[in-house]
Amino acid sequence: MAIRNLRYEDDEILRKRSREIEVIDDRIKELAKDMLETMHKWDGLGLAGPQVGVLKRIIVIDLYEDGMQFVLINPVIVKEKGTQEVEEGCLSFPNKFGKVERPKEVVVEALDIDGRKVKLKAKDLLAQAVCHEIDHLNGILFTDKIKPGTLEIVNPSDKK
Ligand code: NI
């Protein structure tokens, strides 16, 4: 396993659309482990392929509760319901935070790391995280969605 370098801010790879994963081979499994490790190193709740420079449709999520760690391959939102206004950040924008609107509940279909079809019913924070990460696979960033007047820029020296 290895920590991968994160892509930040105006790195143009963050604006590209990721490709479907056709075969879950050892390289993809290694990528998934590396993404989890990289996300954990920076205390993130989620990470998407483009954020480590890989334009493939893979996301990882960890809400740091039992059973709340996921690797989702080729995830697709098949249903969404309601809305929530939430505070959000992103490992690619370590100093920016803001309020965005997300669905309150989503149903996501994907493959797990063993290639099994999974259907994930997510709400609240999990729905937010899944939507944020799937946006990354389409080149969409949370900064595109920040409600006017809610952008906060944190001085790096204020952080640990
Ligand atoms: Ni992000």
Side-chain angles (χ1 to χ4, degrees):
M1 297 218 292
I3 304 284
R4 303 223 181 177
N5 290 331
L6 286 176
R7 302 302 188 97
Y8 294 104
E9 297 265 350
D10 46 11
D11 189 318
E12 65 189 31
I13 202 165
L14 295 177
R15 286 299 180 184
K16 297 201 168 138
R17 191 182 158 81
S18 294
R19 288 178 296 274
E20 297 248 317
I21 292 173
E22 280 161 27
V23 182
I24 302 173
D25 56 15
D26 288 346
R27 281 185 67 195
I28 296 294
K29 291 182 182 186
E30 186 76 18
L31 171 66
K33 283 182 195 159
D34 289 355
M35 285 174 66
L36 284 164
E37 195 178 345
T38 305
M39 173 180 71
H40 290 147
K41 174 179 165 71
W42 299 107
D43 299 323
L45 301 182
L47 195 66
Q51 292 182 278
V52 291
V54 179
L55 286 171
K56 293 186 192 295
R57 302 187 81 81
I58 178 169
I59 65 175
V60 297
I61 286 175
D62 196 343
L63 300 190
Y64 303 96
E65 288 171 42
D66 281 348
M68 293 296 253
Q69 179 176 295
F70 305 93
V71 175
L72 299 175
I73 291 169
N74 302 335
V76 177
I77 295 171
V78 294
K79 249 187 226 172
E80 47 178 89
K81 194 173 146 191
T83 59
Q84 54 178 335
E85 192 180 289
V86 282
E87 182 76 20
E88 205 158 295
C90 176
L91 291 182
S92 293
F93 297 84
N95 304 324
K96 286 188 179 162
F97 299 88
K99 281 195 174 150
V100 299
E101 191 173 288
R102 295 286 182 193
K104 178 85 173 150
E105 294 177 37
V106 290
V107 177
V108 177
E109 289 180 355
L111 298 176
D112 70 11
I113 196 60
D114 297 309
R116 290 179 297 230
K117 282 188 184 177
V118 292
K119 192 178 225 181
L120 175 66
K121 290 182 184 174
K123 60 179 185 176
D124 302 325
L125 180 60
L126 184 57
Q128 177 189 358
V130 167
C131 291
H132 176 114
E133 301 313 329
I134 291 176
D135 271 356
H136 272 299
L137 303 181
N138 297 319
I140 297 167
L141 301 171
F142 91 108
T143 47
D144 302 339
K145 300 187 165 181
I146 291 180
K147 298 218 163 191
T150 70
L151 172 66
E152 256 184 85
I153 298 175
V154 178
N155 187 330
S157 63
D158 293 343
K159 293 185 78 184
K160 52 190 164 171

